[in-house]
Amino acid sequence: MADLAKGGLMAATYDAVVVGGGHNGLVAAAYLARSGARTLVLEARPKTGGAATTEAPWPDAPDFSVTRLSYVMSLMPPTIINDLDLDRHGYKIYPMGPYYQAFPDGGSIKLYADDARRNHEEVAKWSVQDADAMPRWDAWLAGLAEVLGPLLLTVPPALGSRRPRDLAETLRLAWRHRGLDVRTIADVTRLMTMSIADLLDDWFTSPQVKAALAVNGVIGTWAGPYAPGTAYVMAHHSIGDVGDGHLGNWGFQEGGMGAVAAAIERAARGHGAAIRTGAPVARVLVSGDRATGVVLDSGEEIRAQVVVSTLHPRTAFLEQVGAANLPADFVRDIEHWKTRSGVVKINLALAELPDFTADPGSHLQEHHTGSVEMAPSMEYIEQAFQDARLGRPAARPFSDGVIPTTFDKTLCPEGYHTMSLFTQWVPSDWNTQPHTAELEAYADRMIDCYNELAPNFKASILHRDILGPYQLEHEYGLVGGNIFHGELSGEQLFHMRPAPGFADYRTPLADLYYASSATHAGGGVCGIPGWQAARAAIADQKAARRPTALRRITRRS
């Protein structure tokens, strides 16, 4: 971005200011600084990382660290990892073991990401017919991933726009997918519109198998498994290739998820970016139809040629830019942005590993190394959601649990473990009040559910840390407690994310770019929004120096 760094507003303190030091903000800053721009990251909290954070939540047990919010890696493209040389900066992933579910009536199931033979053996314990269907299911998903994977790295066009540039992008997207046949398009349509329960009913018969495969369809989602669109949520979490090289399985970062942010921060600093923590932004400076910098809560003004925001859309646009500076239809879209969650994150310090009745032993075994689920049936998952939908916390919550210390020995003393339970659901309005006592009771019920399957579990817990929607919103800026900055529902995907006409990481204001998880490909610690927003800013600055006639063709308006 040498063009950006050399020219323009000499009075600007920085060429680029990034609002928010979460992983997307750090990725954007790294790319901007790498291009030659003098770049500043402003983070409100005392540390960078946002939801990708490793913390020691227990003052009386400082040797125990947990990945307090986000807890696994998957969808970060190799392009970002390689461009920023993240391996050199401490990015180190341990591939996770199998999905594991023990059942109240006895028995268990393990599902592997890359071992068809063992999957057949596991599924055949419950249904030979389903075991025979698994290779076809895997092949079907792989075929859809060939379409959906590369779309994660595609900048969504402004469908319906008649601007030359937008028409060109729409035609380019259509041409890229000219080889799709009627069947593939039908399959994608089914995926986007069906519930994960209905989709699995088309493929499998065993309740145990269907429950195990349904987990990814409801993670972080304000919807039960019978809700339309949850089939796509499953696919979003299951894609293994974004057209950029194989991503591998889900995995644990050594040092917890905060170490992912730390690696990106080191890369950004290595390219010259400056990073300030404890620096909350009050508003974006606007002059005419352009962003010109930011004002901090302290009153300090920082001028910049480019501003990149990574905050929740309501915070970024309605609070910091201000509705008066934005088009009315865009304001309505952001006001109606759905960001419910019902998520409760429970972090535990354990004296020993769970000793499951179905697979006895508290010594380290394979089923401890992956996802330790609490989703024994489709009806169980659905009831947990319906409880919350009716205004009460789930009596028997759903949980996606992991024990990263089965691989990562840096997080706690030898012989002990930490466990992360990503649980659902509580009522969607619990972001307005702490609900401390109710959350404690909810955690008790969650722990009791695991204890029914592993009778040593409750007694093994040394410490626990509970974060509900209120804590997620007020401590980490996740409005509604939603980890994706907005629901992954059909009306909030691709060209609609975060608003129609503005899914290309640009905004209604010139020189203001948007890079939160509320943009396309957001959801999970992937860095794609930060990368794309930086690319858009760099491209626009280069285009601004082209001859006037060419600039008329390429500009937004």
Side-chain angles (χ1 to χ4, degrees):
M1 199 169 174
D3 295 308
L4 181 74
K6 289 178 185 174
L9 303 173
M10 299 303 295
T13 304
Y14 288 90
D15 300 310
V17 166
V18 178
V19 182
H23 81 280
N24 277 314
L26 295 170
V27 167
Y31 274 97
L32 289 164
R34 181 174 177 255
S35 74
R38 291 183 64 247
T39 302
L40 172 66
V41 177
L42 297 169
E43 168 56 44
R45 299 187 70 238
K47 59 182 291 188
T48 60
T53 177
T54 303
E55 301 179 24
W58 305 294
D60 56 341
D63 293 337
F64 286 87
S65 295
V66 298
T67 55
R68 202 165 186 225
L69 300 184
S70 61
Y71 53 105
V72 287
M73 284 297 299
S74 174
L75 290 174
M76 184 172 285
T79 285
I80 295 176
I81 295 169
N82 296 332
D83 282 352
L84 302 183
D85 200 8
L86 294 185
D87 290 343
R88 183 170 66 87
H89 292 295
Y91 183 76
K92 180 181 179 181
I93 303 297
Y94 298 101
M96 286 174 62
Y99 280 86
Y100 175 74
Q101 174 66 59
F103 296 104
D105 296 332
S108 66
I109 189 169
K110 293 188 283 287
L111 293 178
Y112 301 83
D114 53 6
D115 194 327
R117 180 188 61 81
R118 296 184 74 184
N119 279 342
H120 190 278
E121 292 173 355
E122 286 289 323
V123 174
K125 293 190 301 186
W126 301 99
S127 167
V128 173
Q129 178 181 335
D130 288 354
D132 292 340
M134 280 296 291
R136 296 192 297 274
W137 166 258
D138 289 338
W140 184 76
L141 279 182
L144 290 177
E146 291 178 2
V147 177
L148 298 176
L151 281 179
L152 287 179
L153 297 186
T154 298
V155 177
L159 298 180
S161 171
R162 297 182 181 180
R163 297 187 181 107
R165 168 176 155 176
D166 294 332
L167 288 170
E169 290 298 327
T170 302
L171 290 172
R172 188 176 293 115
L173 180 65
W175 179 255
R176 190 183 307 156
H177 293 91
R178 65 193 181 279
L180 295 182
D181 58 19
V182 171
R183 175 57 55 186
T184 302
I185 291 174
D187 286 341
V188 171
T189 301
R190 290 190 183 97
L191 193 74
M192 302 301 291
T193 58
M194 291 181 73
S195 73
I196 185 61
D198 287 343
L199 178 65
L200 292 172
D201 281 344
D202 287 348
W203 285 87
F204 302 103
T205 61
S206 165
Q208 293 84 358
V209 173
K210 288 187 283 188
L213 292 170
V215 169
N216 276 348
V218 296
I219 292 288
T221 302
W222 180 253
Y226 293 94
T230 48
Y232 169 76
V233 178
M234 176 276 299
H236 179 88
H237 290 299
S238 303
I239 291 169
D241 190 322
V242 294
D244 191 28
H246 188 68
L247 299 183
N249 304 335
W250 293 89
F252 302 117
Q253 163 70 35
E254 184 175 78
M257 294 299 289
V260 176
I264 304 170
E265 179 178 339
R266 282 191 284 270
R269 289 187 185 276
H271 287 298
I275 297 172
R276 289 175 58 180
T277 57
V281 170
R283 61 187 175 91
V284 174
L285 290 169
V286 178
S287 178
D289 62 352
R290 312 187 79 84
T292 60
V294 298
V295 180
L296 304 188
D297 280 359
S298 65
E300 177 186 357
E301 290 191 8
I302 300 173
R303 299 280 173 170
Q305 210 171 325
V306 160
V307 177
V308 178
S309 181
T310 67
L311 308 185
H312 187 280
R314 292 181 190 169
T315 307
F317 297 115
L318 302 184
E319 297 177 17
Q320 294 189 349
V321 173
N325 296 310
L326 297 164
D329 57 351
F330 180 84
V331 170
R332 281 193 299 273
D333 289 335
I334 301 304
E335 287 175 339
H336 296 155
W337 183 251
K338 293 180 177 62
T339 186
R340 298 162 296 183
S341 127
V343 163
V344 177
K345 183 71 190 302
I346 302 172
N347 300 299
L348 303 172
L350 303 179
E352 61 180 352
L353 290 169
D355 181 359
F356 288 96
T357 303
D359 296 276
S362 60
H363 59 287
L364 178 59
Q365 300 176 71
E366 187 181 37
H367 61 269
H368 293 124
T369 65
S371 294
V372 184
E373 309 294 355
M374 182 54 61
S377 70
M378 204 75 73
E379 292 75 19
Y380 179 103
I381 304 171
E382 178 67 18
Q383 185 59 56
F385 174 66
Q386 290 301 331
D387 282 350
R389 193 165 178 266
L390 293 172
R392 57 180 182 261
R396 297 181 66 81
F398 155 82
S399 171
D400 182 40
V402 296
I403 310 173
T405 47
T406 56
F407 293 102
D408 184 1
K409 306 305 180 184
T410 70
L411 296 175
C412 65
E414 184 68 29
Y416 295 88
H417 289 277
T418 63
M419 187 172 187
S420 162
L421 304 180
F422 190 85
T423 79
Q424 298 165 216
W425 286 265
V426 295
S428 62
D429 63 358
W430 274 30
N431 63 309
T432 60
Q433 297 292 331
H435 292 279
T436 304
E438 295 98 322
L439 284 175
E440 290 288 343
Y442 172 96
D444 287 341
R445 295 195 299 276
M446 183 78 264
I447 290 166
D448 286 342
C449 289
Y450 275 102
N451 203 69
E452 291 170 9
L453 305 178
N456 73 323
F457 185 65
K458 191 171 186 176
S460 75
I461 297 171
L462 303 173
H463 307 279
R464 66 187 198 178
D465 172 48
I466 308 166
L467 298 99
Y470 181 88
Q471 292 77 18
L472 296 177
E473 176 169 332
H474 292 268
E475 293 182 31
Y476 296 93
L478 300 173
V479 175
N482 191 287
I483 60 172
F484 305 135
H485 276 181
E487 297 167 35
L488 292 178
S489 49
E491 77 281 10
Q492 294 190 168
L493 296 176
F494 199 52
H495 67 290
M496 303 289 285
R497 195 166 184 89
F502 297 98
D504 62 352
Y505 310 92
R506 296 172 175 87
T507 74
L509 294 181
D511 300 328
L512 176 63
Y513 299 85
Y514 193 50
S516 93
S517 286
T519 60
H520 174 59
V525 181
C526 67
I528 295 172
W531 172 63
Q532 293 283 31
R535 292 178 71 207
I538 293 166
D540 288 351
Q541 291 298 318
K542 289 181 176 178
R545 306 199 183 288
R546 296 176 188 169
T548 303
L550 180 58
R551 199 159 64 241
R552 289 197 193 100
I553 296 174
T554 58
R555 67 187 181 183
R556 174 177 283 283
S557 57

